[in-house]
Amino acid sequence: MTIADPGRTGRKTAAAPSPIAHKIADLVRAGPFGHTKLYSLIREGVLPAYQVGGSSIVLDEDWQALFRHAPPLVSKRAVRTRPVRHADEEAA
């Protein structure tokens, strides 16, 4: 894959390849989780990780799968189990 180099007209440069693995510290810097949450997800088996030397490594495909398979957030306001009564309705 090539992209146009905005600094030089007509020249193309190779796009930087995406990493195949991440260190925990890199994932924390990128967000949205801190060390404690990441290690909790690893301990629970939700996020696979590997020990390479002294570093814990998470494969990029596992990191992306964590978000792809996460259940969608449903707002509590959107789900109502009973009708809302307004103050003027209670007086009547």
Side-chain angles (χ1 to χ4, degrees):
M1 170 189 235
T2 58
I3 57 173
D5 183 359
R8 298 179 184 213
T9 308
R11 294 194 138 203
K12 297 193 181 226
T13 60
S18 59
I20 61 168
H22 308 277
K23 290 184 177 182
I24 298 297
D26 296 336
L27 294 176
V28 170
R29 271 193 294 278
F33 303 120
H35 284 93
T36 304
K37 182 62 177 178
L38 283 173
Y39 282 111
S40 174
L41 291 170
I42 292 167
R43 189 174 39 258
E44 294 168 4
V46 176
L47 181 63
Y50 305 91
Q51 192 73 32
V52 179
S55 299
S56 296
I57 303 293
V58 175
L59 295 177
D60 187 61
E61 62 189 56
D62 293 331
W63 178 242
Q64 291 183 21
L66 175 69
F67 298 103
R68 274 196 306 275
H69 298 118
L73 179 65
V74 178
S75 172
K76 291 182 180 179
R77 289 184 172 181
V79 179
R80 296 193 189 266
T81 56
R82 57 184 177 192
V84 176
R85 294 183 180 234
H86 297 284
D88 57 315
E89 291 177 356
E90 292 177 7

